[in-house]
Amino acid sequence: MGESEGEPGVGDGRLHVAVVTPSFGTGWGERADAVRLVAGALALTADVTIVSLDDRSNPATRPPEIREDGIFPVHSVGASPSRPRLVDVLDTALSYPAVGASARSAVLPELASRRLLAIDAQPSPEAVRVLDQLAPDVVLLAGVETLWLPEALPLGPARPRVVLLPLLGDDARLESPALAQLASSTDAVGALSHAEARRLGPSVGSPDPGKVQQIRLSFPVNRQAAHSGLAGMASFGRYLLVISGWPPGDRAPGHGPAHDYLRAAVGEVSIVEVRHGRWLVSQTGRHHEFPWVPSRMNLWRLMAGAVATLDVRRQGPVGRETLESLLFGTPVIVPAGSVAAEHAELSNGGLWWRAPGEMLDEVGFFLDRAEERDRFAESGRAWAEREHGDTERAVDEVLRLVLG
């Protein structure tokens, strides 16, 4: 593959990698961030082309068929739109914990797994045609939406190396025989967390345990700028950071209690809540809405100065904000049965909650016990720096997974 005249990578010894993923450059959230980090790591030694699965039915929002996104040429291809909200609802309704087990032991009936994987998929004959024209050496399938593709690619010596990143986090579908069957025609499968690797191993990794490889992505944080603090916060003293709406373009609801409920429960300590559309800081008897742009730099400033970070959102496959908070030495309180909760457990840098009452107890623990809070903070920071603070190692792990 990759031998056609004029194709990227010809004549300079560089491999050509095609990354197939939904809505590249137009979606929000840590899945999109993770794909961009992986593509950037690959671009250091390979030529990378993006094949973006897009809903092209609305002319008003239809992206150009070929565009440039930084260093990446992006081919926008029409694809059957997935229904992520429907998948979320059905996944929540159909999953259930085994008797006496924790949330991470949730079981999903196999018939439900198959149907949910089919709903998530975004088939695109146009994507197959573009890949045939690009003739890449490697195809990276980033996202469960691409799982239909291995069966559509050519077989035999013309077939490129195929690598899958499910981007499913701690989702019960990772243990599904349906996923294992779809992944069997790929050459390698990547996990972006220990939780994802643990779920994938027994099914996808059998009989080849080396097929599943973990990538420890590195999210650099600007500690020097963050420790300057956020203007206007000094008068509010000690505060708890609550994340209920982030990133700005994501509208997935949080799971936690209302701000006023938290306000009544934590006493005199201030609360800073990162919401969709506005950021609110409150203290007994007064509150203030931040006029600043909701940027990641400002989020870092809030993290760096907080007593703890309470995250009430539905969690993604990487737990980026949890890792960033730990890198700043700020303990976390996160939903149980998530990638973020596994980060908290492995690092001993935070706690996880299953119900609002348990969450409030954990908030009180960090607010009232300074010495214990500092021990969690130091342990979490050391683990995050060791496991997710090494950019060169992260690049090496991406290259080993994708290029072989």
Side-chain angles (χ1 to χ4, degrees):
M1 302 294 285
E3 298 299 326
S4 302
E5 183 178 355
E7 288 297 334
V10 173
D12 60 5
R14 290 165 65 93
L15 294 175
H16 179 203
V17 180
V19 179
V20 186
T21 192
S23 305
F24 188 87
T26 60
W28 297 90
E30 62 182 40
R31 284 180 173 83
D33 295 341
V35 172
R36 188 172 288 275
L37 278 177
V38 169
L42 290 169
L44 294 174
T45 60
D47 292 296
V48 179
T49 302
I50 309 296
V51 179
S52 179
L53 304 175
D54 298 316
D55 180 2
R56 300 180 60 82
S57 60
N58 185 351
T61 59
R62 182 182 300 165
E65 291 189 11
I66 301 179
R67 67 184 191 275
E68 297 292 327
D69 186 317
I71 63 172
F72 304 116
V74 180
H75 293 254
S76 175
V77 298
S80 302
S82 65
R83 290 173 282 175
R85 292 295 172 84
L86 176 60
V87 171
D88 287 346
V89 171
L90 292 177
D91 190 20
T92 301
L94 294 171
S95 296
Y96 57 91
V99 175
S102 66
R104 80 166 49 165
S105 301
V107 176
L108 190 64
E110 180 54 23
L111 178 60
S113 292
R114 291 180 181 274
R115 292 298 299 150
L116 290 173
L117 289 169
I119 292 172
D120 247 337
Q122 295 188 23
S124 170
E126 189 179 350
V128 178
R129 290 196 298 271
V130 169
L131 288 172
D132 184 59
Q133 294 167 5
L134 293 172
D137 300 290
V138 185
V139 175
L140 174 62
L141 308 177
V144 70
E145 297 87 351
T146 67
L147 270 173
W148 56 274
L149 196 49
E151 297 178 349
L153 293 173
L155 298 175
R159 185 183 180 89
R161 174 177 171 85
V162 180
V163 180
L164 171 66
L165 281 178
L167 299 174
L168 281 175
D170 198 37
D171 194 298
R173 285 175 290 171
L174 290 168
E175 297 177 354
S176 165
L179 178 64
Q181 181 180 359
L182 291 167
S184 64
S185 56
T186 66
D187 297 286
V189 180
L192 297 187
S193 68
H194 178 77
E196 192 169 29
R198 174 176 50 78
R199 286 276 205 180
L200 280 168
S203 54
V204 175
S206 179
D208 179 11
K211 186 168 186 176
V212 177
Q213 300 176 39
Q214 183 178 345
I215 300 172
R216 290 166 289 182
L217 291 179
S218 176
F219 293 100
V221 295
N222 190 334
R223 289 183 175 87
Q224 184 174 359
H227 279 295
S228 64
L230 191 60
M233 279 302 303
S235 64
F236 285 90
R238 296 172 70 231
Y239 63 89
L240 170 72
L241 172 62
V242 180
I243 305 178
S244 64
W246 182 266
D250 186 3
R251 290 295 181 264
H255 293 181
H259 187 101
D260 291 343
Y261 178 80
L262 283 173
R263 174 73 274 144
V266 301
E268 297 297 320
V269 175
S270 298
I271 298 174
V272 180
E273 184 175 1
V274 172
R275 300 178 169 186
H276 292 306
R278 61 175 182 158
W279 294 5
L280 176 69
V281 56
S282 71
Q283 198 177 52
T284 303
R286 63 181 181 139
H287 72 274
H288 177 69
E289 291 187 17
F290 283 116
W292 290 275
V293 175
S295 66
R296 188 166 291 276
M297 185 71 251
N298 283 338
L299 179 65
W300 289 343
R301 290 187 172 112
L302 291 176
M303 283 180 176
V307 175
T309 297
L310 168 62
D311 197 337
V312 299
R313 300 169 300 163
R314 182 179 179 89
Q315 298 296 295
V318 184
R320 177 174 182 176
E321 283 71 47
T322 292
L323 293 174
E324 290 175 335
S325 186
L326 293 175
L327 284 167
F328 282 114
T330 300
V332 296
I333 303 168
V334 293
S338 65
V339 169
E342 192 140 321
H343 291 333
E345 180 179 4
L346 290 172
S347 67
N348 195 31
L351 302 171
W352 49 97
W353 53 276
R354 296 174 179 81
E358 185 178 15
M359 179 193 68
L360 292 179
D361 289 341
E362 292 167 356
V363 169
F365 175 86
F366 284 131
L367 294 179
D368 299 336
R369 303 183 184 182
E371 291 186 4
E372 285 88 343
R373 181 264 177 204
D374 290 345
R375 282 197 287 270
F376 273 84
E378 185 53 39
S379 177
R381 174 165 34 212
W383 178 87
E385 289 178 347
R386 183 175 66 252
E387 294 295 314
H388 294 274
D390 189 334
T391 301
E392 290 186 4
R393 185 182 63 190
V395 169
D396 288 342
E397 290 178 351
V398 170
L399 297 179
R400 189 182 315 117
L401 168 73
V402 178
L403 304 183

